[in-house]
Amino acid sequence: MTISSYVRDGLTFDVIDSGPADGDPVVLLHGFPERATCWREVSPILHEAGFRTLAPDQRGYSPGARPRTRLGYGARDLVADVVALIDEIGRPVHLAGHDWGSAVGWGVAAERPDLVRSWTAMSVPHPVPFARSMKGPQRRRSAYMAFFNVPFVPELVAGRNGRMERMMRGSGWKDADVERFREEIVDYGALPGGLGWYRALFLAPRVGRVSVPTTMLWSDRDVAIGRSALEGNEDSVTGPYELIELTGVSHWIPTKAPEAAASAILGTIAKAS
């Protein structure tokens, strides 16, 4: 049965469920500031390989799942939201995530290996090496997080040609990406919820090691995540692990390198099989 939405803790999450209905399920987790549509070019490749894809608009992005305070965006809830979707699917899944979706996916894979057959992380490494890297050059790359934590101001500068759009253009966005941001995030009312993830970072618990087959996909033109953030990432995985580095690709791997993203997911799935 197709899943267009599911409910957890009184919140309703929208889902893009597509591909062969009888295919092994692959759950795709978006990052900030994007929605499930960021997988629009990745999913068809997975469908052609026989897989069903389920991409949710996560907490803060789905209109029916927008807590009003930052306390509603803690990492434990973000992980539990994904677990609830997998429970709705009714069987273990292959999991992939980009950016914040990657941060959440590490938690899901670590806490519930019984529900995750394989894990493909894009851009953001395991929270432990990432936190450690903040003592070095990664701290400068992550300075924008402090700005996102200022109440109300990021929302106020998210208008046309404002600071938020200039930041995103600097990270590799083109005109079409900016237009999508205006329509799918700002006009849709999803920006405050997306920023809520940053504002609830103080609630983040320690994440354990991941035992399922794991691939880390990183791109060398990522302005947000430097190579130093990946140092020691393999130590956070006890199962099969592979690091794939993309050359000449910006932070936005699912939309700028969808073939590479799909290939990484399929490669991880093959290891799990």
Side-chain angles (χ1 to χ4, degrees):
M1 183 177 69
T2 299
I3 300 173
S4 59
S5 66
Y6 70 100
V7 177
R8 177 188 170 259
D9 199 22
L11 303 178
T12 301
F13 298 84
D14 300 326
V15 181
I16 299 176
D17 183 352
S18 53
D22 60 348
D24 283 347
V26 181
V27 171
L28 304 170
L29 305 177
H30 67 80
F32 175 90
E34 297 181 302
R35 287 169 44 202
T37 54
C38 74
W39 301 102
R40 62 192 174 277
E41 295 184 61
V42 177
S43 292
I45 301 174
L46 300 180
H47 300 162
E48 289 180 5
F51 294 94
R52 172 190 179 192
T53 60
L54 298 101
D57 275 348
Q58 297 182 84
R59 180 173 291 241
Y61 296 85
S62 290
R66 294 176 180 171
R68 295 187 177 182
T69 72
R70 63 178 179 170
L71 297 179
Y73 295 93
R76 292 191 186 279
D77 275 319
L78 300 174
V79 168
D81 293 341
V82 178
V83 170
L85 172 57
I86 300 174
D87 286 341
E88 187 78 12
I89 295 168
R91 56 188 290 197
V93 305
H94 299 286
L95 186 65
H98 172 250
D99 187 78
W100 258 112
S102 180
V104 172
W106 283 107
V108 176
E111 291 185 19
R112 297 300 305 270
D114 57 313
L115 299 180
V116 179
R117 298 176 61 189
S118 72
W119 163 231
T120 305
M122 301 182 193
S123 300
V124 175
H126 188 283
V128 171
F130 183 75
R132 188 167 55 239
S133 73
M134 292 293 281
K135 299 177 182 179
Q138 179 58 41
R139 184 171 184 173
R140 179 178 56 82
R141 289 177 180 262
S142 298
Y144 67 91
M145 292 184 182
F147 169 62
F148 286 171
N149 268 275
V150 178
F152 308 116
V153 175
E155 290 92 328
L156 293 175
V157 298
R160 186 173 293 270
N161 298 319
R163 180 176 177 181
M164 184 79 74
E165 290 188 3
R166 294 197 298 272
M167 289 174 61
M168 295 306 165
R169 287 184 185 278
S171 71
W173 273 11
K174 304 301 181 184
D175 289 346
D177 303 307
V178 173
E179 288 297 333
R180 191 173 300 109
F181 167 71
R182 292 170 182 166
E183 177 183 350
E184 295 193 355
I185 301 297
V186 179
D187 294 346
Y188 196 59
L191 184 59
L195 290 167
W197 294 37
Y198 291 95
R199 293 164 178 168
L201 275 170
F202 69 98
L203 295 172
R206 184 176 178 84
V207 177
R209 291 182 175 180
V210 172
S211 60
V212 302
T214 299
T215 297
M216 178 74 234
L217 186 61
W218 177 78
S219 43
D220 67 353
R221 291 191 180 178
D222 191 325
V223 300
I225 308 295
R227 183 66 176 78
S228 64
L230 277 65
E231 294 178 2
N233 196 49
E234 66 278 4
D235 297 333
S236 296
V237 181
T238 61
Y241 175 81
E242 181 181 10
L243 169 63
I244 300 175
E245 298 189 21
L246 301 180
T247 302
V249 178
S250 69
H251 174 77
W252 312 100
I253 294 174
T255 55
K256 301 304 178 184
E259 295 86 359
S263 177
I265 294 170
L266 293 172
T268 319
I269 290 173
K271 293 174 187 175
S273 301

